Amino acid sequence: MQPQKPATRANLYLALGSIALALVVALVWARYDSGSGLILKVRRQVSIGDALAPTIAAAMIGLGGVMVLLQRHAAEQPGLSLANLRFLTRFLVLCAVSFALMRWTGPAVVAAINLFGEGDLSYRLLRDTAPWKYIGFAAGGTLLITVLIADIEGRLTARSVIIAVLAIAALIALYDLPFDDLQLPPNGDV
Amino acid sequence: MGVSDYIWMGIQAVFQGPEAFSILGLSISITIVMVLAGFMLGIVVGATPGLAGPMAMAISLPILISAFGFSPDALLPVMGFLIGVMKGATVGGAVPAILFNTPGTPDAYMTTLDGYPMTQAGQARKALKIAHFSSASGDTFSDVVLILCAPFLAVLVERYLDLPEKTALLILSMAFIASVIGGSVGKGIISMGLGLLAAYIGTGEDFYPRLSMGTQSLAQGFPVATAVLGVLVLGEVFKSLEDLWHHVRADDRPTEPRQSGDQRLHWADIRRISPYIARSAVIGTVIGALPGIGSTLAATLGYSAGARRHARKYPDRVKFGHGAPEGIAATEAANSSVSGANLIPVLSLGIPGNAAAVFLILATESIGGFNPGPSVFKFTREAINPELVAAFGLFTTMMVANAFNWTIGGAIMRAAGVMVRVPKHILLPIVLMLTLTAIYVQETRMQGIWFAIGFGVLGYLMRRVGMSPLPFVIAFILGGKLEETARQAFAATGGDAWFLFTSPMAALFMGLAVLFVAFSLRRPTEAEK
């Protein structure tokens, strides 16, 4: 269900966007960002160059754009509304905050312990040890699930937090406990 | 080595593979256990509105690969599990459709039309039994056609098609998929072009990874699992989350009407629905063998064909749409018979035709040692072709899954009705986190998660503008193969720029590709329907 009716010129915008993308890819990106051109001649031997395949892909996008342009007057075209873009922005911000929390909570806790205690710990050395390896994943994952549930329900409840914690525990049990070779986020990066 | 030797070795590979446990001295192989586990999971997933078989396949894959590794012994248990999920999800989709008027999978929509009226009339268990019988019949028929046709088609392709023809066949398949999926051929072609473009980033034969803009991130290209999971699974999750968010959740907890009367499936019932099952099984198998046409269209065509026959022959019986058992049979036989036939282009040509097939190809690529395509079916006489043994092993796992379906599928299906009560707004954020974790454990870098989110946004935008993401995914998977075949064909023909048109067969394929696109332009668009 959508709160706002999408623009009726959605096909026109999609067509123009596709044609513009096709032109940029074919004339600029594929041409100047490939190691060889469309056709490669080495010692009178002709072969296909690296730029040909992306140029053909661009031609496909352009051709599709022209076809959609022919349907620009169709009624009730599915398209993007401002509400869609607002949702997407809010969602991406939530992802960014959750992933940042996931990435930095573990090292931050270790730094705090080093700051206030006597220890000289390194998260990099602890990242394969419980409970350190779960701190970031649990913090970021719980936030992501809780906020999404709360956002849809329109209120933050203890139930949504408990569900998120249980879900994260289940994911740890599924991906980490049985396997030594799998790393939960963010332990492959730090 | 004769054909029968290969078939026997394939069967043995399944039943005499690594042992999981033994009962009274009888060894039960791990492959059989995995087929059963996948089948049960598939029914549960199919019975849960908001989840789908390909989603479960995608999320299971890294766990399966970690558990079984990359050895040749891993292939049959992993593929057996995924095939079990694929088959189980098809059966499970009918459960919420019949019990709660909510299709578990899109292809079960037509099942609601007759299934739910039967539930309202107190005949829910009977409706489920009809759905199960029809689904298992259609699925088994489709598998038999697959087993008979795929090797034959593959041998024909290897014998008669050279490099230019194979290139033209790939182009024809992609043109066909772009034309038939979704409401607009233009949007299908844009989706395909974007998939090809994404596949070519960070690849190529030159020392410099093309389209990488000099960055290390793009120079490695996009991992297949990240792109596929992003566009197919995350894109759908984003869209469903937004739909839920706008539709501030009302308390629409489903209720089950009181059941009464005879709930058994009698021989008279089976005789009554058999013609509908037979007709729909043929329709579904033909549709399934064509890449890109999904089970939803098969279900619609099967239902319409059944409805016409019913109105003509039995005007006095309960009409389709008012609780006719024949309506459930026609729909379920049609959508279930797509799953086996869908593997015909995968195994004989290496071309995935739907999302489930994409994940099967992804699994074979991850494990290695089995490359779906015409080269699998080389009946070598002196040395054993391990890929051919694996192919017959896969056919055996499909038959094992069918055996589970016939014996215990109905009981699991009825028990899975409880899944419809799981609230979607709680399920989707967990599925999102599950998918992101599945991607990370394969990529082990946060950048992989961001790439997946990026592809998820692309999948979301595609769905919002009415563009199917399936041509994107199929083009992404086939892009590398298409370029490699074209390069080889170009070199083999001595640099002939017209190599796609010089042989009659290649020219025919190219002509058909143009015809499909041109013909699709003439059909009504999504807005005019």
Side-chain angles (χ1 to χ4, degrees):
Chain A
M1 198 181 358
Q2 297 224 32
Q4 253 176 284
K5 215 172 168 65
T8 51
R9 292 208 277 182
N11 279 1
L12 178 67
Y13 298 142
L14 176 66
L16 293 179
S18 302
I19 293 167
L21 175 68
L23 290 173
V24 170
V25 172
L27 301 178
V28 184
W29 197 12
R31 191 172 170 188
Y32 295 108
D33 200 21
S34 299
S36 52
L38 299 177
I39 297 293
L40 193 61
K41 270 189 189 173
V42 180
R43 289 189 220 102
R44 282 190 289 176
Q45 187 92 17
V46 186
S47 60
I48 290 176
D50 273 2
L52 185 65
T55 306
I56 289 174
M60 290 289 147
I61 297 169
L63 176 68
V66 170
M67 288 177 176
V68 175
L69 194 64
L70 297 176
Q71 298 166 353
R72 66 187 181 279
H73 297 304
E76 289 179 31
Q77 302 161 15
L80 282 171
S81 65
L82 273 176
N84 295 142
L85 295 176
R86 272 199 297 271
F87 163 79
L88 206 54
T89 310
R90 225 181 42 242
F91 178 77
L92 290 176
V93 168
L94 172 64
C95 284
V97 174
S98 303
F99 297 162
L101 203 61
M102 203 178 270
R103 172 68 180 79
W104 297 108
T105 304
V109 170
V110 170
I113 289 172
N114 285 340
L115 189 68
F116 297 110
E118 295 278 309
D120 186 19
L121 302 172
S122 153
Y123 184 78
R124 194 172 173 75
L125 297 176
L126 295 169
R127 64 180 177 165
D128 206 22
T129 321
W132 305 98
K133 60 178 175 179
Y134 303 133
I135 292 175
F137 181 66
T142 306
L143 179 80
L144 185 65
I145 296 176
T146 306
V147 173
L148 282 173
I149 295 174
D151 203 22
I152 294 168
E153 287 182 338
R155 65 204 168 106
L156 179 66
T157 59
R159 191 183 74 132
S160 58
V161 180
I162 292 167
I163 288 169
V165 170
L166 291 177
I168 291 298
L171 286 179
I172 290 171
L174 189 66
Y175 282 107
D176 187 71
L177 296 184
F179 307 110
D180 291 332
D181 58 333
L182 294 187
Q183 282 183 312
L184 289 172
N187 298 323
D189 292 83
V190 288
Chain B
M1 299 290 295
V3 177
S4 57
D5 296 318
Y6 274 111
I7 295 172
W8 182 237
M9 280 194 291
I11 294 170
Q12 280 183 317
V14 172
F15 286 96
Q16 295 179 0
E19 181 186 289
F21 56 87
S22 66
I23 303 172
L24 301 171
L26 181 69
S27 171
I28 306 293
S29 84
I30 189 73
T31 305
I32 303 285
V33 175
M34 293 308 290
V35 172
L36 176 62
F39 179 68
M40 289 167 67
L41 176 69
I43 292 185
V44 172
V45 164
T48 312
L51 294 186
M55 251 183 213
M57 293 166 86
I59 291 163
S60 313
L61 195 53
I63 300 174
L64 293 170
I65 288 177
S66 285
F68 290 98
F70 298 91
S71 68
D73 284 344
L75 187 75
L76 286 178
V78 171
M79 295 294 281
F81 183 88
L82 297 179
I83 285 170
V85 172
M86 183 178 83
K87 285 176 174 291
T90 312
V91 183
V95 177
I98 289 171
L99 295 182
F100 303 107
N101 206 21
T102 310
T105 46
D107 58 15
Y109 170 72
M110 307 301 271
T111 309
T112 61
L113 302 180
D114 291 288
Y116 192 61
M118 279 187 78
T119 297
Q120 286 177 311
Q123 295 276 289
R125 284 177 72 85
K126 187 165 190 163
L128 283 175
K129 285 176 182 172
I130 287 168
H132 172 249
F133 180 83
S134 313
S135 184
S137 305
D139 199 358
T140 308
F141 173 78
S142 178
D143 287 351
V144 171
V145 173
L146 162 75
I147 292 167
L148 294 176
C149 285
F152 187 66
L153 189 59
V155 169
L156 279 182
V157 167
E158 272 301 88
R159 189 167 296 171
Y160 295 107
L161 302 190
D162 207 346
L163 287 165
E165 290 87 355
K166 282 181 182 168
T167 312
L169 183 61
L170 280 171
I171 293 170
L172 169 62
S173 307
M174 285 162 65
F176 184 76
I177 290 165
S179 305
V180 296
I181 294 179
S184 156
V185 61
K187 290 176 185 176
I189 288 177
I190 294 174
S191 177
M192 195 181 75
L194 289 172
L196 287 175
L197 184 62
Y200 295 140
I201 290 175
T203 55
E205 289 197 337
D206 195 82
F207 180 70
Y208 174 76
R210 69 183 158 202
L211 310 181
S212 60
M213 299 180 184
T215 62
Q216 198 52 40
S217 314
L218 290 179
Q220 295 172 24
F222 298 118
V224 180
T226 306
V228 171
L229 261 70
V231 171
L232 280 186
V233 179
L234 294 184
E236 183 60 35
V237 169
F238 295 175
K239 179 177 170 288
S240 303
L241 278 172
E242 190 193 9
D243 289 344
L244 276 175
W245 187 79
H246 288 312
H247 178 96
V248 177
R249 202 169 150 272
D251 189 14
D252 52 356
R253 197 167 288 252
T255 52
E256 202 171 350
R258 191 181 172 82
Q259 301 301 303
S260 60
D262 180 16
Q263 302 284 346
R264 282 184 299 173
L265 187 65
H266 299 282
W267 274 112
D269 296 317
I270 292 173
R271 274 201 302 275
R272 185 171 155 179
I273 60 175
S274 288
Y276 298 87
I277 293 175
R279 184 182 289 228
S280 284
V282 173
I283 291 172
T285 303
V286 171
I287 295 283
L290 300 170
I293 309 183
S295 48
T296 306
L297 179 65
T300 312
L301 290 179
Y303 187 85
S304 323
R308 277 197 300 274
R309 180 183 195 275
H310 196 67
R312 194 177 62 245
K313 285 203 155 188
Y314 307 105
D316 50 324
R317 286 188 189 168
V318 178
K319 289 186 172 58
F320 269 45
H322 294 85
E326 295 89 341
I328 300 174
T331 308
E332 285 302 311
N335 64 23
S336 298
S337 57
V338 168
S339 67
N342 247 319
L343 298 186
I344 294 176
V346 176
L347 288 174
S348 57
L349 308 171
I351 297 169
N354 65 357
V358 165
F359 288 109
L360 290 178
I361 286 199
L362 213 57
T364 60
E365 279 185 3
S366 304
I367 297 168
F370 184 80
N371 300 302
S375 61
V376 166
F377 292 96
K378 275 184 185 152
F379 288 87
T380 49
R381 293 205 166 269
E382 289 78 27
I384 297 173
N385 175 3
E387 287 193 299
L388 189 51
V389 176
F392 283 113
L394 287 182
F395 293 155
T396 309
T397 59
M398 298 179 89
M399 284 305 171
V400 170
N402 286 337
F404 285 133
N405 195 357
W406 279 107
T407 50
I408 55 171
I412 304 171
M413 198 177 162
R414 289 188 286 279
V418 70
M419 290 308 293
V420 82
R421 297 180 195 279
V422 179
K424 212 173 166 182
H425 76 287
I426 289 174
L427 196 66
L428 285 175
I430 297 172
V431 169
L432 172 69
M433 199 59 219
L434 193 59
T435 312
L436 293 177
T437 311
I439 290 167
Y440 189 88
V441 297
Q442 292 177 85
E443 290 294 309
T444 59
R445 51 182 183 146
M446 290 302 279
Q447 197 180 48
I449 287 193
W450 276 114
F451 278 151
I453 293 282
F455 279 111
V457 170
L458 179 65
Y460 166 86
L461 294 174
M462 283 175 155
R463 285 169 172 85
R464 283 287 173 230
V465 299
M467 186 187 290
S468 168
L470 202 56
F472 174 95
V473 170
I474 291 171
F476 185 84
I477 286 177
L478 293 180
K481 189 175 174 179
L482 175 66
E483 187 184 19
E484 190 192 332
T485 319
R487 278 184 196 270
Q488 289 172 352
F490 186 70
T493 53
D496 180 4
W498 296 98
F499 70 92
L500 287 172
F501 300 93
T502 44
S503 95
M505 191 71 87
L508 175 71
F509 288 157
M510 292 303 291
L512 282 173
V514 174
L515 267 179
F516 276 134
V517 173
F519 184 74
S520 302
L521 269 176
R522 292 170 60 88
R523 74 192 160 115
T525 64
E526 78 263 45
E528 292 160 358
K529 276 178 186 170

